[in-house]
Amino acid sequence: MTVSDLDRLHSQLSRFEDMFPGYHMEIVEGNIVMSPVKPHHAETLRLVWNALREQVAEEWGFTSDVAFPFDEDNEFCPDLAIIPAVEVSKNEGAYPPDLIELVVEVVSKGSIRRDYEVKSRWYATRGIANYLIFDPLQGHVVTLWNPGPDGYVGRDTIPYGPELIVASTLGKITLPTSGLPVDPKAPHRS
């Protein structure tokens, strides 16, 4: 897929997002996927972003809902991705996934499989060092590290409450989880 093809595809996604406010859109496994965004999602993202911003060096920048084309069938728009600040300053609509140093997804009812299975596999094969999955449906965070061609080797699930400590390539990161929202309407999942 050429850059102009990617730009055209991203432009189409942008038009869809304008037509459906309140929905997050991306391309997953060749399908355009729309997920409604609820207040718990935005609040989780805001709290995590603010905590990370205080700890990550200035040479790193933050993107949210910006396209990262992995291949012609998978263009993910992570809830939060940390990439070099010089790249963020270019203000592009899409970036190569190889720039991502740490990625965060916040689970919604419609994104469970994508966040836990599909994206986990793709992020690992691209060598993204740390993947954090915040799940307001379950009230926990899953931290994945040590990426490889078969997925992430390291995985911990931590219930919301204690501080999450992540040994990342960006340095030691401490994220408070006690104030993260839990969706009161979420069905219990095991």
Side-chain angles (χ1 to χ4, degrees), residues 120-170:
S120 175
R121 184 176 60 250
W122 279 98
Y123 291 159
T125 60
R126 281 303 178 100
I128 296 170
N130 295 94
Y131 177 27
L132 306 177
I133 305 169
F134 289 85
D135 191 335
L137 304 173
Q138 291 290 318
H140 67 225
V141 59
V142 175
T143 176
L144 300 143
W145 70 93
N146 199 2
D150 296 324
Y152 286 96
V153 176
R155 177 187 175 115
D156 282 323
T157 302
I158 296 105
Y160 287 175
E163 286 188 334
L164 169 66
I165 299 172
V166 179
S168 79
T169 54
L170 302 168

Side-chain angles (χ1 to χ4, degrees), residues 86-153:
V86 68
E87 296 296 328
V88 173
S89 69
K90 294 177 183 177
N91 199 35
E92 301 289 343
Y95 293 94
D98 299 335
L99 294 174
I100 301 173
E101 199 66 25
L102 182 142
V103 66
V104 171
E105 296 289 359
V106 179
V107 176
S108 64
K109 280 198 252 185
S111 74
I112 295 167
R113 180 181 161 282
R114 289 191 308 272
D115 290 340
Y116 281 104
E117 296 173 25
V118 177
K119 290 181 180 183
S120 175
R121 184 176 60 250
W122 279 98
Y123 291 159
T125 60
R126 281 303 178 100
I128 296 170
N130 295 94
Y131 177 27
L132 306 177
I133 305 169
F134 289 85
D135 191 335
L137 304 173
Q138 291 290 318
H140 67 225
V141 59
V142 175
T143 176
L144 300 143
W145 70 93
N146 199 2
D150 296 324
Y152 286 96
V153 176

Side-chain angles (χ1 to χ4, degrees), residues 26-92:
E26 57 192 344
I27 300 170
V28 179
E29 297 177 325
N31 299 300
I32 294 176
V33 179
M34 296 176 20
S35 300
V37 179
K38 292 187 175 183
H40 285 96
H41 187 277
E43 180 69 3
T44 300
L45 185 57
R46 183 186 68 77
L47 292 169
V48 170
W49 185 314
N50 289 344
L52 286 169
R53 180 72 275 168
E54 293 176 3
Q55 300 176 65
V56 175
E58 291 291 320
E59 68 257 19
W60 296 101
F62 293 71
T63 66
S64 181
D65 293 333
V66 174
F68 288 89
F70 282 73
D71 68 8
E72 61 189 35
D73 290 331
N74 293 282
E75 180 180 294
F76 302 142
C77 300
D79 290 323
L80 176 63
I82 298 179
I83 66 174
V86 68
E87 296 296 328
V88 173
S89 69
K90 294 177 183 177
N91 199 35
E92 301 289 343

